[in-house]
Amino acid sequence: MQQRQLGRSGLTVPPLAFGGNVFGWTVGEADAFSLLDAMVDAGLNFIDTADVYSRWAPGNRGGESEVIIGKWLARSGKRDKVIIATKVGMEMGPGAQGLSPAYIARALDDSLTRLQTDYIDLYQSHRDDPDTPLADTLSAYGKLRDQGKIRAIGASNYTAARLSEALIVSERNGLPRYESIQPEYNLYAREPYESGLQGVVTAQGLGTINYYALASGFLTGKYRTPADAGKSVRGKKIVESYLNPRGQRILAALDEAVEATGATHTQVALAWTMAQPGITAPIASATSLAQLDDLVKAAYLTLPPEVLRKLDEASAWR
């Protein structure tokens, strides 16, 4: 499988990342183990998670995804075969959030314990913390990198202006720089990334690991009418957010692309994203081996220029 450079971090990753947000939420431990074994065997060895996953699920406290991945790492012995990306900063409890040096150090140790590993390949600021100076946060990451606990750092949900500011702070102070950004980006949600972040990424040689690459499942093509809301736990949100004239135009273009290529809606939507400037590895999840097979095939799919053009036109936001 093709490998891509993740910014200037020295890390190489496949063109698709597996989203670990489903572990401990819609995927239990046994099924997660099967998915992880199969994805690594297929070459998809880039796993994205976060300390807060999946705190939103009833009965969860956060850390469930990391715990499951950690158990799998211990059982499989495949730590050296995977790139693990996790995040810090979202609320994990009273007073447990943000990007202060003290909290980062504590949260990282907690993640390492849950993941049953002694280092994180890509440690990401889950969201900006305006209450902590950027230099303090980046300096904390530098110390953790020097200790061998992290290999590279990234940012998630930063604006273009704030990401640029962080890069300037890194360069002026000799501190580690964010090597990747994790924004929302897909055929439907193009404007936030393309209007600002994309320019920063391409100019500064960063990687982009975009989430919601399938628009919460809308781009799989299985949501066509309001009646489809009951097809998943996110169905109501999908119907309310995407089933509008623009969304229908995108679905029609996907239908045409599927007819032209013989690929699935999932494969086409992901292949379009992987072909966009600045994109390193879209994040997509699977809850079954059949869905995982779809992701693997997407990683090998190259869309013809005419198909890309029609998808661009149907999803244009300008």
Side-chain angles (χ1 to χ4, degrees):
M1 184 176 292
Q2 176 197 24
Q3 298 291 299
R4 296 180 173 184
Q5 294 291 324
L6 185 66
R8 300 171 188 164
S9 67
L11 298 174
T12 58
V13 298
L16 196 62
F18 187 91
N21 63 312
V22 294
F23 297 152
W25 177 30
T26 54
V27 177
E29 184 176 298
D31 289 336
F33 284 9
S34 296
L35 286 167
L36 287 162
D37 283 332
M39 59 179 270
V40 173
D41 289 345
L44 290 182
N45 65 335
F46 188 18
I47 307 167
D48 178 82
T49 186
D51 56 4
V52 77
Y53 296 167
S54 47
R55 194 167 187 261
W56 57 83
N60 284 2
R61 301 176 59 184
E64 288 79 13
S65 175
E66 289 183 332
V67 167
I68 287 175
I69 294 169
K71 289 181 178 179
W72 173 78
L73 288 173
R75 189 210 65 171
S76 67
K78 294 180 178 178
R79 179 63 186 94
D80 62 339
K81 298 183 183 299
V82 295
I83 301 294
I84 300 290
T86 193
K87 309 180 197 75
V88 60
M90 293 292 195
E91 183 181 358
M92 290 288 284
Q97 62 182 309
L99 299 174
S100 70
Y103 181 65
I104 287 174
R106 175 160 58 97
L108 175 60
D109 283 343
D110 289 343
S111 286
L112 292 172
T113 298
R114 288 189 290 263
L115 287 163
Q116 300 192 48
T117 183
D118 55 6
Y119 70 97
I120 303 296
D121 297 288
L122 180 67
Y123 200 43
Q124 302 163 99
S125 298
H126 206 153
R127 66 180 177 192
D128 190 15
D129 177 7
D131 296 324
T132 302
L134 286 166
D136 290 358
T137 295
L138 296 167
S139 179
Y141 286 141
K143 292 176 182 177
L144 295 171
R145 186 184 64 181
D146 292 344
Q147 294 169 12
K149 292 183 176 182
I150 59 177
R151 297 177 65 189
I153 60 171
S156 178
N157 299 305
Y158 275 47
T159 64
R162 190 65 164 165
L163 179 61
S164 296
E165 185 181 353
L167 293 172
I168 291 170
V169 170
S170 295
E171 184 174 4
R172 286 180 178 173
N173 296 280
L175 298 172
R177 73 168 202 158
Y178 288 131
E179 294 294 347
S180 62
I181 182 67
Q182 190 171 131
E184 178 179 5
Y185 185 59
N186 55 57
L187 265 168
Y188 189 97
R190 294 178 57 180
E191 189 271 339
Y193 174 71
E194 293 182 6
S195 65
L197 283 169
Q198 190 175 56
V200 177
V201 165
T202 54
Q204 299 298 324
L206 291 130
T208 303
I209 314 163
N210 53 298
Y211 62 85
Y212 288 167
L214 292 170
S216 299
F218 172 70
L219 298 174
T220 65
K222 70 179 182 179
Y223 300 92
R224 302 282 180 162
T225 70
D228 293 329
K231 288 186 175 181
S232 75
V233 295
R234 296 183 291 185
K236 185 174 184 294
K237 173 195 171 184
I238 293 168
V239 167
E240 292 176 349
S241 301
Y242 303 116
L243 272 182
N244 51 47
R246 181 166 176 266
Q248 295 288 6
R249 286 197 303 273
I250 292 171
L251 285 180
L254 281 171
D255 291 341
E256 187 176 342
V258 165
E259 182 69 23
T261 62
T264 65
H265 290 77
T266 294
Q267 292 164 22
V268 170
L270 291 174
W272 175 88
T273 308
M274 288 184 277
Q276 301 311 302
I279 297 296
T280 307
I283 301 169
S285 301
T287 59
S288 68
L289 293 176
Q291 290 180 0
L292 179 63
D293 183 63
D294 225 11
L295 302 188
V296 173
K297 290 176 179 175
Y300 288 97
L301 178 62
T302 300
L303 296 175
E306 181 65 10
V307 171
L308 287 170
R309 183 186 65 79
K310 289 182 178 180
L311 289 168
D312 286 344
E313 292 175 351
S315 61
W317 57 272
R318 288 186 173 88

